[in-house]
């Protein structure tokens, strides 16, 4: 029996995945978490074989949660299931210890197959992501400016952050909601292995960002 922990902050997503897993005889859903901190806590308590991990989680970003689970419950394979498929996010998740990465929209059959593979210790990636990973590791792209692991939007937000702007001011400049800015800052911190906004500002300024506009 493969024991699975599900971490996603959307109840409807958890409900849909639960319905899929309930039809599989050798998979048991042993717990659900709605935020990153609960995901780590339950992984340590329950020691599931596989953790299905969303990345944009409240409390603790999914990349940080993945890193902590690998440190505290190394026997649990983390299978990322998210809507983000940019190279920086994929590579950040892999570096954090994720064994697999699927994009939301994958069919139930693909998810079940990925769970079986992850439980057996086999890396799992969609065909397109696997091709990009092979290409990247065969010839890592030349770095174009600082923080290549960040998306263009994340670098732009970090630049404004380093300039001393608040979330509301950044949102006004970039035509984004405050929540979107906050979510992006959480992702930036996770990708850069930082825990505080002030640390990101220092790193960004050291790299030449945040200059007067």
């Amino acid at each position: 029996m493969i024991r699975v922990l599900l971490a996603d902050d959307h109840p409807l997503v958890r409900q849909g995945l639960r319905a899929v897993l309930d039809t599989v005889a050798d998979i048991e859903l042993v717990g659900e978490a709605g935020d990153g901190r609960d995901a780590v806590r339950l992984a340590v308590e329950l020691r599931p074989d596989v953790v299905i991990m969303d990345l944009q989680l409240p409390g603790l970003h999914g990349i940080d949660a993945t890193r902590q689970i690998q440190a505290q419950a190394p026997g649990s394979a983390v299978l990322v299931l998210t809507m983000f498929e940019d190279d920086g996010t994929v590579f950040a998740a892999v570096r954090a210890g994720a064994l697999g990465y699927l994009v939301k929209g994958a069919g139930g059959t693909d998810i079940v197959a990925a769970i079986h593979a992850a439980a057996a210790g086999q890396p799992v990636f969609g065909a397109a992501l696997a091709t990009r990973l092979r290409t990247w590791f065969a010839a890592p792209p030349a770095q174009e400016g600082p923080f290549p692991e960040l998306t263009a939007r994340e670098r732009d937000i970090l630049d404004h952050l380093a300039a001393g702007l608040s979330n509301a001011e950044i949102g006004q400049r970039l035509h984004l909601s405050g929540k979107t800015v906050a979510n992006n800052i959480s992702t930036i911190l996770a990708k850069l292995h930082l825990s505080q906004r002030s640390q990101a500002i220092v790193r960004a300024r050291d790299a030449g960002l945040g200059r007067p506009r």
Side-chain angles (χ1 to χ4, degrees):
M1 184 68 71
I2 300 173
R3 304 172 72 252
V4 172
L5 170 64
L6 174 58
D8 196 295
D9 63 329
H10 291 95
L12 288 178
V13 173
R14 297 201 305 269
Q15 180 181 346
L17 288 171
R18 190 188 313 125
V20 170
L21 301 184
D22 282 347
T23 66
V24 185
D26 65 346
I27 292 179
E28 177 187 8
L29 184 60
V30 297
E32 298 182 24
D35 64 61
R37 298 192 190 283
D38 273 348
V40 175
R41 178 180 60 80
L42 289 174
V44 173
E45 289 180 4
L46 302 174
R47 302 286 169 160
D49 300 300
V50 177
V51 180
I52 299 178
M53 177 72 71
D54 187 21
L55 291 184
Q56 203 65 270
L57 292 174
L60 184 69
H61 193 277
I63 290 174
D64 283 328
T66 297
R67 191 176 295 116
Q68 292 189 23
I69 288 171
Q70 289 306 293
Q72 300 178 46
S76 298
V78 176
L79 175 63
V80 170
L81 181 62
T82 182
M83 68 179 67
F84 302 98
E85 56 179 328
D86 61 278
D87 289 352
T89 300
V90 175
F91 301 141
V94 172
R95 285 194 294 268
L99 187 62
Y101 197 109
L102 294 178
V103 177
K104 284 183 177 178
T109 300
D110 292 333
I111 293 172
V112 170
I115 291 171
H116 281 106
Q122 301 170 2
V124 185
F125 298 93
L129 293 182
T131 298
R132 281 156 54 189
L133 280 171
R134 284 195 298 268
T135 301
W136 193 90
F137 284 114
Q143 294 189 5
E144 298 180 1
F147 312 117
E149 61 268 65
L150 302 183
T151 65
R153 171 183 282 184
E154 289 162 357
R155 281 193 295 273
D156 205 8
I157 289 174
L158 181 59
D159 189 21
H160 284 76
L161 188 65
L165 275 65
S166 67
N167 286 13
E169 291 169 330
I170 294 172
Q172 191 172 34
R173 292 275 186 97
L174 301 180
H175 306 290
L176 301 171
S177 69
K179 182 178 180 181
T180 298
V181 173
N183 286 341
N184 275 273
I185 291 174
S186 294
T187 301
I188 290 166
L189 295 178
K191 287 184 177 181
L192 299 183
H193 298 197
L194 303 174
S195 59
Q196 297 179 8
R197 181 189 187 102
S198 59
Q199 294 173 322
I201 292 173
V202 171
R203 283 276 302 276
R205 288 177 177 172
D206 286 346
L209 301 184
R211 291 177 179 147
R213 298 168 181 278

